[in-house]
Amino acid sequence: MLDRTASRAARFITFEGGEGVGKSTQVKRLLVRLNRGNIEAVRTREPGGTPTAEAVRAFILQGRSEAWGPGAEAVLFAAARLNHVNELVAPNLAHGRWVISDRFHDSTRAYQGLTGGVDEKLIRGLETLALNGHQPDLTFVLDMDPAVAFARVGSRQIEAALAETGDRFEKEDLSWHARLRQAFLDIATTNPDRCVVLPANQNEDALEQEIWDTLVRRYPELGTLPN
Ligand code: TYD
């Protein structure tokens, strides 16, 4: 018998990974696909998602907190996240809307924690504060060799991103990005029930289908929707 409660449960899905792996494209595609099946969903991003969290985003990505160090930046990301969770994530889930976020707490674990060297206990404490009980149901880790990701993104897009935000994490060197990639893979290994790693070096249609197939396996009620 169809479990109506389960079939209507709104899910919180996050996308994670290094720079240039194509998260934003897949977040948009998933939203379209859910909406096509009459599933209400919203897309959001971190840092950001609410006006004040977007202000914190601009502050960090312009490099204004860089000298404060990764510990202080972890605190800033967490403060923005708490606002994002309380004002956007939790209310939408409560109204039965799926929430699809381009980055979430795993980015703090990977960038500030595993790559930036911030103590794991501090990272966990900040998570307890910021998530406020709203752990993602499912996290897609899009994985790609950073050298390939950079070649794919191309200099034009990188320049456009820099013009918009002066984005500082994109200017780190390749070995730093390789460590970051490993950090996301380690997070996925330690959270096998929540995280699914997918190879991102494939065409966008194929990756979209892999994401959808993963969701249908996990939430069979989606299998009855038009695709
Ligand atoms: P963004 O332009 O959204 O990057 P991307 O397109 O790669 O997602 O900028 C977000 C940057 O902030 C990105 O470099 C990752 C970084 N970041 C952290 O360092 N910690 C965090 O907790 C989050 C959410 C993002």
Side-chain angles (χ1 to χ4, degrees), residues 44-69:
T44 185
R45 68 172 179 182
E46 284 211 348
T50 63
T52 46
E54 290 287 333
V56 176
R57 174 192 178 89
F59 185 81
I60 298 173
L61 296 188
Q62 285 162 7
R64 294 166 74 186
S65 55
E66 192 167 7
W68 300 3

Tab-separated table of all heavy atoms in Angstrom, residues 44-69:
chain	number	residue	atom	x	y	z
A	44	THR	N	18.559	26.715	-3.786
A	44	THR	CA	19.254	27.748	-3.033
A	44	THR	C	20.756	27.457	-3.085
A	44	THR	O	21.182	26.523	-3.772
A	44	THR	CB	18.703	27.806	-1.590
A	44	THR	OG1	19.320	28.888	-0.901
A	44	THR	CG2	18.949	26.510	-0.821
A	45	ARG	N	21.543	28.279	-2.390
A	45	ARG	CA	22.989	28.061	-2.452
A	45	ARG	C	23.629	28.530	-1.153
A	45	ARG	O	23.047	29.292	-0.378
A	45	ARG	CB	23.588	28.849	-3.602
A	45	ARG	CG	23.533	30.359	-3.394
A	45	ARG	CD	24.303	31.090	-4.466
A	45	ARG	NE	24.255	32.540	-4.305
A	45	ARG	CZ	24.816	33.394	-5.150
A	45	ARG	NH1	25.441	32.949	-6.216
A	45	ARG	NH2	24.754	34.688	-4.934
A	46	GLU	N	24.848	28.041	-0.946
A	46	GLU	CA	25.652	28.520	0.181
A	46	GLU	C	27.056	28.866	-0.295
A	46	GLU	O	27.565	28.201	-1.201
A	46	GLU	CB	25.725	27.448	1.267
A	46	GLU	CG	24.450	27.352	2.055
A	46	GLU	CD	24.681	26.924	3.495
A	46	GLU	OE1	25.797	26.483	3.833
A	46	GLU	OE2	23.746	27.027	4.278
A	47	PRO	N	27.728	29.839	0.321
A	47	PRO	CA	27.075	30.711	1.290
A	47	PRO	C	26.017	31.543	0.571
A	47	PRO	O	26.187	31.893	-0.576
A	47	PRO	CB	28.218	31.588	1.802
A	47	PRO	CG	29.269	31.533	0.735
A	47	PRO	CD	29.128	30.208	0.062
A	48	GLY	N	24.939	31.830	1.298
A	48	GLY	CA	23.881	32.657	0.728
A	48	GLY	C	22.510	32.072	0.981
A	48	GLY	O	22.298	31.355	1.945
A	49	GLY	N	21.589	32.411	0.094
A	49	GLY	CA	20.230	31.869	0.193
A	49	GLY	C	19.234	32.812	0.829
A	49	GLY	O	18.039	32.722	0.560
A	50	THR	N	19.705	33.687	1.710
A	50	THR	CA	18.842	34.724	2.302
A	50	THR	C	19.588	36.051	2.143
A	50	THR	O	20.810	36.044	1.944
A	50	THR	CB	18.605	34.494	3.811
A	50	THR	OG1	19.876	34.595	4.485
A	50	THR	CG2	17.987	33.126	4.096
A	51	PRO	N	18.896	37.183	2.244
A	51	PRO	CA	19.598	38.458	2.037
A	51	PRO	C	20.812	38.645	2.954
A	51	PRO	O	21.888	39.057	2.493
A	51	PRO	CB	18.511	39.504	2.320
A	51	PRO	CG	17.225	38.793	1.994
A	51	PRO	CD	17.443	37.348	2.386
A	52	THR	N	20.661	38.316	4.219
A	52	THR	CA	21.818	38.551	5.108
A	52	THR	C	22.933	37.539	4.859
A	52	THR	O	24.122	37.877	4.924
A	52	THR	CB	21.408	38.555	6.594
A	52	THR	OG1	20.555	37.446	6.839
A	52	THR	CG2	20.723	39.845	6.985
A	53	ALA	N	22.553	36.292	4.544
A	53	ALA	CA	23.587	35.294	4.239
A	53	ALA	C	24.303	35.652	2.932
A	53	ALA	O	25.499	35.397	2.780
A	53	ALA	CB	22.986	33.889	4.161
A	54	GLU	N	23.571	36.265	1.987
A	54	GLU	CA	24.214	36.721	0.745
A	54	GLU	C	25.214	37.856	1.044
A	54	GLU	O	26.240	37.977	0.384
A	54	GLU	CB	23.173	37.184	-0.289
A	54	GLU	CG	22.335	36.058	-0.897
A	54	GLU	CD	23.087	35.167	-1.899
A	54	GLU	OE1	24.044	35.643	-2.536
A	54	GLU	OE2	22.708	33.982	-2.016
A	55	ALA	N	24.893	38.670	2.036
A	55	ALA	CA	25.827	39.744	2.415
A	55	ALA	C	27.108	39.137	2.997
A	55	ALA	O	28.221	39.584	2.692
A	55	ALA	CB	25.163	40.693	3.416
A	56	VAL	N	26.956	38.082	3.803
A	56	VAL	CA	28.136	37.388	4.353
A	56	VAL	C	28.925	36.751	3.214
A	56	VAL	O	30.160	36.781	3.188
A	56	VAL	CB	27.713	36.319	5.399
A	56	VAL	CG1	28.925	35.539	5.889
A	56	VAL	CG2	26.985	36.969	6.572
A	57	ARG	N	28.185	36.201	2.239
A	57	ARG	CA	28.843	35.597	1.069
A	57	ARG	C	29.772	36.608	0.371
A	57	ARG	O	30.935	36.318	0.112
A	57	ARG	CB	27.780	35.121	0.076
A	57	ARG	CG	28.343	34.614	-1.234
A	57	ARG	CD	27.253	34.415	-2.296
A	57	ARG	NE	27.850	33.980	-3.540
A	57	ARG	CZ	28.067	32.705	-3.858
A	57	ARG	NH1	27.712	31.747	-3.036
A	57	ARG	NH2	28.635	32.397	-5.000
A	58	ALA	N	29.220	37.782	0.091
A	58	ALA	CA	30.007	38.792	-0.617
A	58	ALA	C	31.242	39.162	0.211
A	58	ALA	O	32.354	39.251	-0.308
A	58	ALA	CB	29.145	40.017	-0.899
A	59	PHE	N	31.040	39.314	1.511
A	59	PHE	CA	32.131	39.692	2.415
A	59	PHE	C	33.267	38.665	2.337
A	59	PHE	O	34.439	39.019	2.186
A	59	PHE	CB	31.573	39.782	3.843
A	59	PHE	CG	32.552	40.265	4.861
A	59	PHE	CD1	32.806	41.623	5.000
A	59	PHE	CD2	33.218	39.371	5.689
A	59	PHE	CE1	33.709	42.087	5.957
A	59	PHE	CE2	34.120	39.825	6.638
A	59	PHE	CZ	34.358	41.183	6.770
A	60	ILE	N	32.906	37.373	2.416
A	60	ILE	CA	33.944	36.330	2.427
A	60	ILE	C	34.592	36.190	1.054
A	60	ILE	O	35.824	36.160	0.942
A	60	ILE	CB	33.359	34.955	2.837
A	60	ILE	CG1	32.787	34.994	4.251
A	60	ILE	CG2	34.438	33.876	2.745
A	60	ILE	CD1	32.044	33.717	4.654
A	61	LEU	N	33.754	36.112	0.006
A	61	LEU	CA	34.302	35.811	-1.319
A	61	LEU	C	35.114	36.964	-1.896
A	61	LEU	O	35.970	36.767	-2.747
A	61	LEU	CB	33.198	35.375	-2.290
A	61	LEU	CG	32.490	34.066	-1.920
A	61	LEU	CD1	31.557	33.620	-3.039
A	61	LEU	CD2	33.467	32.951	-1.579
A	62	GLN	N	34.866	38.178	-1.406
A	62	GLN	CA	35.713	39.295	-1.830
A	62	GLN	C	37.059	39.284	-1.100
A	62	GLN	O	37.904	40.137	-1.331
A	62	GLN	CB	35.003	40.625	-1.569
A	62	GLN	CG	33.894	40.898	-2.579
A	62	GLN	CD	32.921	41.962	-2.100
A	62	GLN	OE1	33.139	42.597	-1.070
A	62	GLN	NE2	31.841	42.137	-2.836
A	63	GLY	N	37.210	38.349	-0.173
A	63	GLY	CA	38.498	38.210	0.500
A	63	GLY	C	38.647	39.076	1.735
A	63	GLY	O	39.735	39.184	2.292
A	64	ARG	N	37.539	39.660	2.181
A	64	ARG	CA	37.667	40.606	3.293
A	64	ARG	C	37.942	39.923	4.632
A	64	ARG	O	38.439	40.540	5.565
A	64	ARG	CB	36.424	41.498	3.362
A	64	ARG	CG	36.356	42.385	2.120
A	64	ARG	CD	35.030	43.035	1.953
A	64	ARG	NE	34.821	44.126	2.887
A	64	ARG	CZ	33.667	44.770	3.001
A	64	ARG	NH1	32.634	44.437	2.255
A	64	ARG	NH2	33.550	45.751	3.859
A	65	SER	N	37.621	38.613	4.727
A	65	SER	CA	37.876	37.900	5.987
A	65	SER	C	39.094	36.993	5.886
A	65	SER	O	39.422	36.282	6.834
A	65	SER	CB	36.651	37.062	6.367
A	65	SER	OG	36.302	36.194	5.306
A	66	GLU	N	39.755	37.019	4.735
A	66	GLU	CA	40.844	36.059	4.497
A	66	GLU	C	41.910	36.111	5.597
A	66	GLU	O	42.353	35.081	6.103
A	66	GLU	CB	41.486	36.336	3.123
A	66	GLU	CG	42.406	35.220	2.681
A	66	GLU	CD	42.786	35.335	1.206
A	66	GLU	OE1	42.433	36.350	0.564
A	66	GLU	OE2	43.440	34.410	0.715
A	67	ALA	N	42.265	37.327	6.000
A	67	ALA	CA	43.329	37.477	7.004
A	67	ALA	C	42.881	36.983	8.384
A	67	ALA	O	43.719	36.775	9.269
A	67	ALA	CB	43.762	38.940	7.070
A	68	TRP	N	41.575	36.798	8.571
A	68	TRP	CA	41.097	36.313	9.866
A	68	TRP	C	41.413	34.832	10.055
A	68	TRP	O	41.328	34.313	11.155
A	68	TRP	CB	39.579	36.506	9.996
A	68	TRP	CG	39.115	37.919	9.901
A	68	TRP	CD1	39.872	39.022	9.666
A	68	TRP	CD2	37.762	38.375	10.007
A	68	TRP	NE1	39.074	40.139	9.620
A	68	TRP	CE2	37.778	39.768	9.828
A	68	TRP	CE3	36.544	37.748	10.230
A	68	TRP	CZ2	36.635	40.549	9.881
A	68	TRP	CZ3	35.397	38.512	10.273
A	68	TRP	CH2	35.441	39.904	10.100
A	69	GLY	N	41.674	34.140	8.924
A	69	GLY	CA	42.013	32.722	8.992
A	69	GLY	C	40.800	31.816	8.857
A	69	GLY	O	39.657	32.254	9.019
